């Protein structure tokens, strides 16, 4: 950082006299500078104070006592949770984003003014309001805020001092006297913030259209960045009404949660601008606010009086890319109205696709924001998987309009219920919109199996956390993980299944009605579900059952001995030697609903409520066989005695359709994971793949590929690799030929949604195992594109074809794809190329690509971590990516840390192949070396990576030889 950025106190005072524009820029500059210093810890806190003083701070005690070196103190402002003394009623908020940078400094900023009216609940002489990276100023007298009482007969005490507390993110206002309980007050502030490209709070997104760079001002508040846009009581239970006004350039459109109330021209500093006033919002949480200024286009329709609009870059709208989302939004909204028995709470539903967006989408109430790939569909470029993602994400966000937005969880510790719920019902909503797709089944692959892998580690955590354990913003961010989303979805699906959907829905409906516009805790939902249960004959106790799933981590493996009828359960741990240090009040036992089949016929559901019981009906002799967890409705794995396993393997080979498709996928997934946990032999797991020569359905294949991924990670650097490739090539060849036939030599698209997926699997595995015809196919198609500049590859197949062609090719293929990536006008196509670029086998290309990931002009910030993870997924790229992440950790962490949820993905992604002592040491060293920088939302992932590495080391030592023998025998058969 150049010296010129530093502002001395003397200079600062002078600057206050210059015009607001220049002042704003200087202040924005100083924000950046002080943030930079806080990160690097290079400059002492005294300097930071000076910077703040120059902008008119009256009291500076906060900044000097702040910082990591000061001992903890008991002051109210050192606590991360707001005191309960004040409660907001409404805000009058005006914001003006400047979409052009300051000509001299090139810094973007926004200015704002906010008045919040709050009620004093108990007497206090202190006002704490969240504020992060905002600078306050009052050109008249240098006060940071002003206060007045609402009741004309009452006077507000005067302000003694104001200061910013950066650590806990407060604007602190100390008063000369007390605010009186029952009185209302209004606090007024004026402030400036940087409109940075950091994807959090009020930020900017950039894109090119017709050769011109355009800027969008947009927001991402969840979880704790509303305070980065304006001072607010930034906790989900501090609901209020928001009166929002945006001031913006003449040729732009302003959007917010509410409908537009009025618009007029105003002149500021000789410049004519638009002032857009929005109708007041409903009572809502700060994290659901959104403000957007852009010159986007839109399309609209109306669904029973609700205005539905899709916004995106003009060229995307003109190309019709918003049409699919528009068509599906109405039906999905109607579905949820019926599901919740509650009409959509707002008059409009806007959805907007943003070029830069960190998460997949955000459920801001009435103005949902998306990544472009999650909203925009183009038949020419989008695969069926892209289309499915759009339908499910829209359903997820619309589900939140009630569950989450209308009724909000009181604090972030219950985030799992909010996200788990939406992640479950997204399948119901999307299924309703696309009934042909068999979407509901896919939750088993996408969520249940996915989170099983994480929840089988001792470093997992329970769904529910205690409120007092979740305080800091990083702790809150860390909750946005697979446990909250996928395990939450899995156990809610199980709950809905054993209660029946009618009872579940009924309880849900009374819950929503009771708590609308308010807040709740997860036990409130249990209570309402129980009331619904009590209206029926059932004696089920919702909280007693659910406590075992929600309050302890992990899940059981249920073992059924069909010889004796003994059914028992045990905490399933991927590494059986790992030690569970966290005690559970349920001793890691669960109340398990068991749906099952005997010899192909579905039986009545049973409950396993003890460690072990004998169930006569579970005995199976002769040809009879048992299969439990029918349709994988339950969140657990199943193991059997050898005899029953052999019968199941036999059925797979001889009469597989007796077993539902989901359960065929389950058998493979359970066998592979039980083998990893040393509960069954690895050979048994491998045996489940033998019948795949006959299998054409998607789910079992997908399950097998997911599990074989682990074998690739463990063995693609060893002698097992060759035999494994021979065996798998042999197994996939019938599937490859099957698709070749039904697509008439790859000229047609299979009709079924899941068949289309399995076609991709067939090509991916055939090419991966070096099937010559497959590689020729991929390279020929790609070459044809390179020579004719006409891309004839079907969108469904592009990812895998690009990847295989680039892997088989050299610099020419890579450069061609890179050029196409740079010029792609639809993000969905760019994403496919971005992935495929990671497939090259050339280390120098991969290293250069890694460098590109940290240049936002080349790879958007939102895509940096996933690109690094793609590269690490490539056996050649793995060591390069790990070196890269280690060398740049501090930089990556600081540049990409704010508002980012993907650090755990990054750490898990670059370390998932780790399986040697040496790699474990490197991980430990990495943790040590960066202890002072920190790992933010990746902290837990780092521990999980070490646990996984240890378990991999042991697994390899015990299995390498027999796996080699097995593949060798099978390959030579
Ligand atoms: C904080 O307050 C508690 C109880 O009021 C007291 O026991 C403790 O010593 C205080 N700690 C500091 C650092 O002042
Ligand atoms: C917000 O604006 C309305 C209408 O002008 C006014 O009645 C109300 O007092 C204002 N509230 C605050 C906190 O300034
Ligand atoms: C700035 O100071 C003037 C005069 O004291 C006051 O009227 C105004 O409300 C102040 N503005 C803010 C944001 O505190």
């Amino acid at each position: 950082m150049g010296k010129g950025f530093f502002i001395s106190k003397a200079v600062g005072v002078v600057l206050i006299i210059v015009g607001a524009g220049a002042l704003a820029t200087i202040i924005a500059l100083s924000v950046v500078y002080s943030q930079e210093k806080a990160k690097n810890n290079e400059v002492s806190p005294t300097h930071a104070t000076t910077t703040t003083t120059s902008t008119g701070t009256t009291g500076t005690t906060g900044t000097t006592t702040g910082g990591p070196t000061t001992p903890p103190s008991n002051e109210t402002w050192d606590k991360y949770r707001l005191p309960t003394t004040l409660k907001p009623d409404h805000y009058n908020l005006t914001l003006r984003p400047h979409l052009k940078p300051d000509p001299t400094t090139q810094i973007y900023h926004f200015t704002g003014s906010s008045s919040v009216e709050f009620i004093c609940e108990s007497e206090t002489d202190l006002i704490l309001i969240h504020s992060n990276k905002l600078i306050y100023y009052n050109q008249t007298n240098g006060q940071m805020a002003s206060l007045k009482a609402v009741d004309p007969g009452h006077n507000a005490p005067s302000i003694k001092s104001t200061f910013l507390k950066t650590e806990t993110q407060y604007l602190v206002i100390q008063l000369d006297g007390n605010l009186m309980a029952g009185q209302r007050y209004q606090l007024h502030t004026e402030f400036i913030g940087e409109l940075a490209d950091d994807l959090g709070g009020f930020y900017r997104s950039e894109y090119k259209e017709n050769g011109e760079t355009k800027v969008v001002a947009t927001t991402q508040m969840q979880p704790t960045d509303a305070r980065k846009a304006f001072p607010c009581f930034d906790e989900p239970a501090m609901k209020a009404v928001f009166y929002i006004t945006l001031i913006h350039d003449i040729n732009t459109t302003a959007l917010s949660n509410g409908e537009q109330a009025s618009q007029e021209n105003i002149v500021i500093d000789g410049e004519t601008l638009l002032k857009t006033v929005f109708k007041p919002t409903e009572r809502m949480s700060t994290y659901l606010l959104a403000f957007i200024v852009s010159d986007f286009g839109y399309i609209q329709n109306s669904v029973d009086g609700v205005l539905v609009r899709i916004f995106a870059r003009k060229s995307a709208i003109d190309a019709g890319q918003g049409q699919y989302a528009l068509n599906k939004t109405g039906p999905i909204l109607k579905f949820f109205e019926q599901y919740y028995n509650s009409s959509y709470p707002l008059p409009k539903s806007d959805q907007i696709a943003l070029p830069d967006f960190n998460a997949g989408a955000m459920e801001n109430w009435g103005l949902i924001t998306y990544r472009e790939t999650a909203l925009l569909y183009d038949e020419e470029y989008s695969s069926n998987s892209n289309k499915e993602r759009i339908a499910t994400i829209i359903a997820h966000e619309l589900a939140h309009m009630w569950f989450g937005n209308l009724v909000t969880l009181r604090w972030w510790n219950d985030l799992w219920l909010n996200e788990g719920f939406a992640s479950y019902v997204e399948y119901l909503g999307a299924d309703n919109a696309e009934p042909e797709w068999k979407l509901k089944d896919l939750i088993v692959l996408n969520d249940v199996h996915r989170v099983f892998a994480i929840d089988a580690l001792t470093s997992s955590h329970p769904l529910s956390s205690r409120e007092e354990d979740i305080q800091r913003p990083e702790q809150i961010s860390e909750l946005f993980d697979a446990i909250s989303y996928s395990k939450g979805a899995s156990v809610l699906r199980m709950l809905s299944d054993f209660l029946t959907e009618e009872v579940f829905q009924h309880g849900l409906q009374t819950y929503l009605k009771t708590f609308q516009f308010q807040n709740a805790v997860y036990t409130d939902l249990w209570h309402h579900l129980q009331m619904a249960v009590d209206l029926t004959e059932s004696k089920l106790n919702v909280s007693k059952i659910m406590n075992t799933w929600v309050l302890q981590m992990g899940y059981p493996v249920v073992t059924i001995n069909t010889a004796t009828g003994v059914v028992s359960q045990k905490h399933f741990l991927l590494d059986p030697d790992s030690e569970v240090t966290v005690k559970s009040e349920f001793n890691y036992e669960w109340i398990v609903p068991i749906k099952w089949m005997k010899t192909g016929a579905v039986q009545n559901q049973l409950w396993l409520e003890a460690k072990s019981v004998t169930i006569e009906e579970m005995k199976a002799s002769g040809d009879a066989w048992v299969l439990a967890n029918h349709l994988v409705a339950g969140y657990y794995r199943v193991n059997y005695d050898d005899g029953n396993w052999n019968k199941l393997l036999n059925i797979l080979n001889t009469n597989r359709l007796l077993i539902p498709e989901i359960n065929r996928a389950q058998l493979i997934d359970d066998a592979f994971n039980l083998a990893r946990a040393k509960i069954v032999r690895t050979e048994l797991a491998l045996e489940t793949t033998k019948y795949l020569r006959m299998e054409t359905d998607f789910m079992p294949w997908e399950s097998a590929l997911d599990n074989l991924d682990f074998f690739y990670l463990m063995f693609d650097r060893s002698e097992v690799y060759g035999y494994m490739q021979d065996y798998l090539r042999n197994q996939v060849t019938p599937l490859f030929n099957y698709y070749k036939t039904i697509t008439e030599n790859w000229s047609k698209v299979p009709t079924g949604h899941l068949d289309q997926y399995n076609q991709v699997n067939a090509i991916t595995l055939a090419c991966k195992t070096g099937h010559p015809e497959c590689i020729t196919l991929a390279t020929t198609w790609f070459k044809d594109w390179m020579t004719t500049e006409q891309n004839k590859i079907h969108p469904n197949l592009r990812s895998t074809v690009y990847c295989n062609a680039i892997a088989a090719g050299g610099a020419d293929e890579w450069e061609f794809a890179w050029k196409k990536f740079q010029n792609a006008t639809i993000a969905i196509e760019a994403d496919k190329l971005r992935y495929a670029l990671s497939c090259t086998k050339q280390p120098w290309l991969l290293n250069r690509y890694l460098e590109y990931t940290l240049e936002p002009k080349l790879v958007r910030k939102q895509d940096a971590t996933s690109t690094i993870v793609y590269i690490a997924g490539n056996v050649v790229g793995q060591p390069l990516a790990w070196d890269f992440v280690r060398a740049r950790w501090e930089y990556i962490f600081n540049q990409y840390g704010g508002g980012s949820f993907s650090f755990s993905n990054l750490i898990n992604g670059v370390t998932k192949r780790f399986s040697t002592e040496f790699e474990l040491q490197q991980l430990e060293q990495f943790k040590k070396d960066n202890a002072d920088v920190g790992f933010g939302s990746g902290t837990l992932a780092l521990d999980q990576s070490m646990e996984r590495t240890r378990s991999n080391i042991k697994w390899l030592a015990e299995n390498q030889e027999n796996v080699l023998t097995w593949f060798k025998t099978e390959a030579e058969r």
Side-chain angles (χ1 to χ4, degrees), residues 79-109:
K79 302 197 163 58
Y80 284 87
R81 292 296 299 275
L82 287 168
T84 54
T85 44
L86 309 176
K87 230 170 81 183
D89 177 81
H90 70 268
Y91 295 74
N92 291 352
L93 172 64
T94 301
L95 288 170
R96 177 184 175 195
H98 293 251
L99 300 189
K100 290 198 181 63
D102 178 275
T104 47
T105 62
Q106 294 305 311
I107 286 176
Y108 290 83
H109 74 283

Side-chain angles (χ1 to χ4, degrees), residues 112-114 136-147 159 187-191:
S113 68
S114 172
Y136 295 81
Y137 69 107
N138 183 331
Q139 292 172 61
T140 322
N141 65 353
Q143 282 275 3
M144 290 169 85
S146 60
L147 180 72
I159 294 176
L187 180 74
H188 180 76
T189 50
E190 283 162 30
F191 50 89

Side-chain angles (χ1 to χ4, degrees), residues 8-204:
S8 77
K9 189 169 180 173
V11 178
V13 172
V14 174
L15 282 171
I16 291 177
I17 308 160
V18 267
L23 178 71
T25 300
I26 296 296
I27 290 169
L29 249 179
S30 70
V31 179
V32 181
Y33 185 53
S34 63
Q35 282 158 20
E36 217 53 56
K37 278 190 302 188
K39 278 175 200 156
N40 300 333
N41 274 336
E42 285 167 356
V43 185
S44 74
T46 334
H47 290 148
T49 311
T50 314
T51 316
T52 321
T53 309
S54 72
T55 63
T57 313
T58 48
T60 51
T61 41
T63 10
T64 39
T65 54
T69 50
T70 9
S73 95
N74 269 348
E75 299 290 355
T76 317
W77 53 75
D78 293 315
K79 302 197 163 58
Y80 284 87
R81 292 296 299 275
L82 287 168
T84 54
T85 44
L86 309 176
K87 230 170 81 183
D89 177 81
H90 70 268
Y91 295 74
N92 291 352
L93 172 64
T94 301
L95 288 170
R96 177 184 175 195
H98 293 251
L99 300 189
K100 290 198 181 63
D102 178 275
T104 47
T105 62
Q106 294 305 311
I107 286 176
Y108 290 83
H109 74 283
F110 64 91
T111 51
S113 68
S114 172
S115 290
V116 53
E117 181 166 315
F118 59 82
I119 303 155
C120 176
E121 302 262 283
S122 54
E123 220 170 273
T124 178
D125 62 356
L126 181 69
I127 299 173
L128 289 188
I129 187 162
H130 282 113
S131 172
N132 184 24
K133 300 182 182 172
L134 296 175
I135 297 292
Y136 295 81
Y137 69 107
N138 183 331
Q139 292 172 61
T140 322
N141 65 353
Q143 282 275 3
M144 290 169 85
S146 60
L147 180 72
K148 68 175 191 223
V150 173
D151 178 355
H154 180 73
N155 282 329
S158 58
I159 294 176
K160 186 160 77 185
S161 74
T162 53
F163 57 91
L164 291 165
K165 189 71 196 155
T166 44
E167 176 71 16
T168 43
Q169 306 181 343
Y170 288 126
L171 166 62
V172 181
I173 299 161
Q174 291 177 299
L175 304 172
D176 269 330
N178 275 341
L179 300 172
M180 306 307 279
Q183 285 292 334
R184 289 168 171 259
Y185 299 90
Q186 294 185 344
L187 180 74
H188 180 76
T189 50
E190 283 162 30
F191 50 89
I192 288 178
E194 190 189 354
L195 194 68
D197 62 348
D198 57 1
L199 310 171
F202 207 10
Y203 73 92
R204 78 175 193 278

Side-chain angles (χ1 to χ4, degrees), residues 492-630:
L492 290 167
R493 171 170 170 269
M494 173 169 72
L495 173 62
S496 172
D497 184 76
F498 70 69
L499 292 181
T500 73
E501 199 163 314
E502 298 74 58
V503 172
F504 183 79
Q505 235 178 292
H506 188 240
L508 181 63
Q509 290 167 0
T510 59
Y511 164 85
L512 289 174
K513 195 162 214 99
T514 307
F515 294 100
Q516 57 180 335
F517 304 111
Q518 297 173 55
N519 295 81
V521 292
Y522 81 91
T523 48
D524 291 324
L525 179 60
W526 287 182
H527 178 65
H528 279 264
L529 292 172
Q530 189 65 52
M531 293 197 300
V533 169
D534 293 345
L535 294 174
T536 70
E537 299 288 283
S538 168
K539 298 271 175 296
L540 290 176
N541 182 331
V542 174
S543 53
K544 182 168 169 229
I545 298 167
M546 292 311 288
N547 281 348
T548 67
W549 299 98
V550 165
L551 300 180
Q552 59 186 350
M553 68 173 174
Y555 57 91
V557 48
V558 170
T559 301
I560 298 173
N561 186 330
T562 61
T564 61
V566 172
V567 180
S568 58
Q569 60 164 303
K570 188 168 179 280
H571 184 184
F572 179 78
L573 291 172
L574 206 54
D575 177 358
D577 306 327
S578 60
E579 218 177 302
V580 181
T581 48
V582 183
K583 289 264 170 292
S584 157
E585 59 176 307
F586 307 101
N587 287 317
Y588 293 102
E589 282 175 29
W590 289 262
I591 301 181
V592 191
I594 302 196
K595 293 213 156 153
W596 61 296
M597 295 174 91
K598 194 166 190 175
T599 326
V602 180
Q603 311 290 307
N604 287 334
Q605 182 187 281
L606 302 168
W607 286 94
L608 175 61
E609 301 197 44
K611 195 155 187 66
S612 172
V613 292
T614 302
I615 299 173
E616 285 301 317
E617 303 103 286
M618 289 279 186
K619 284 190 189 164
S621 56
D623 285 343
W625 48 272
V626 166
L627 178 98
N629 204 3
H630 184 235

Side-chain angles (χ1 to χ4, degrees), residues 760-782:
V760 177
N761 280 343
I763 293 180
T764 302
L765 188 60
C767 280
K768 184 168 182 164
T769 55
H771 193 300
E773 197 180 327
C774 182
I775 297 192
T776 308
L777 191 66
T779 48
T780 310
W781 278 343
F782 197 82

Side-chain angles (χ1 to χ4, degrees), residues 917-955:
E917 282 297 339
F918 182 58
E919 283 162 335
L920 180 62
Q921 280 167 21
Q922 290 185 340
L923 255 178
E924 281 161 355
Q925 191 63 41
F926 173 64
K927 184 175 178 178
K928 226 181 279 163
D929 291 349
N930 292 291
D932 55 330
V933 180
F935 302 94
S937 60
T939 309
L940 198 58
L942 189 60
D943 291 336
Q944 288 167 347
S945 297
M946 291 199 270
E947 184 177 346
R948 208 175 35 230
T949 305
R950 280 188 209 103
S951 120
N952 289 348
I953 293 171
K954 273 186 288 186
W955 187 87

